[in-house]
Amino acid sequence: MSLEAESSLLKTWTPMVSTIVLSWIGYYFTGPSLNPFVSFSWHMHYKRQNDIEHFLVFWSAPILGAVFAGLAYSFRHKPPAARKQRRPSKAAVAARAQQTRQAVAAREHTKEQNSKHGHSSHNSQQQS
């Protein structure tokens, strides 16, 4: 089963309907609020619930729910295994060494040509 919803109608209405249904079901426990801070202020003013009920419903339950949701997510979505770094093949290493040798030889040849003609890169930069 795919985790992505195919229907845009389903993507739009599912969160709204589930929030309304959960609020309606939990109204007896939570009152008209799902916000712990607002519910705490109502609790202090009206004292409709005793302190232990208030603590369990508004403080412990959201924290435990978040912990369990995080654990469920981490078990459901494991990170991909780390891939090993591939070592270059012997042919690739040999080709790279050949390129390096050619570049060094070309540099030495250029220096050799400059010294034969009495040019040095330092003198030509000063003349410019």
Side-chain angles (χ1 to χ4, degrees):
M1 181 175 171
S2 173
L3 295 176
E4 296 290 324
E6 297 294 326
S7 167
S8 63
L9 185 66
L10 186 65
K11 286 180 187 178
T12 304
W13 284 95
T14 301
M16 288 188 277
V17 170
S18 63
T19 302
I20 291 169
V21 168
L22 289 173
S23 298
W24 183 56
I25 291 171
Y27 181 80
Y28 172 75
F29 300 106
T30 64
S33 172
L34 294 177
N35 183 333
F37 185 74
V38 172
S39 299
F40 178 71
S41 65
W42 288 345
H43 169 71
M44 294 308 290
H45 182 70
Y46 294 112
K47 290 286 188 183
R48 195 175 97 186
Q49 294 173 319
N50 67 24
D51 291 338
I52 195 74
E53 284 178 345
H54 176 79
F55 175 74
L56 290 174
V57 170
F58 291 107
W59 296 100
S60 298
I63 291 170
L64 290 174
V67 167
F68 286 130
L71 290 172
Y73 182 84
S74 67
F75 286 127
R76 175 75 169 98
H77 301 284
K78 294 194 184 266
R83 291 177 28 173
K84 284 186 175 179
Q85 192 84 12
R86 285 186 17 184
R87 293 178 56 89
S89 66
K90 289 182 181 179
V93 171
R96 180 70 177 164
Q98 179 66 25
Q99 289 173 349
T100 304
R101 282 192 294 270
Q102 288 174 351
V104 169
R107 257 187 267 131
E108 288 177 359
H109 179 71
T110 304
K111 284 181 185 177
E112 208 173 89
Q113 291 295 326
N114 285 341
S115 65
K116 281 184 182 177
H117 297 295
H119 299 283
S120 75
S121 60
H122 184 65
N123 288 340
S124 61
Q125 286 177 354
Q126 287 179 348
Q127 293 172 359
S128 298

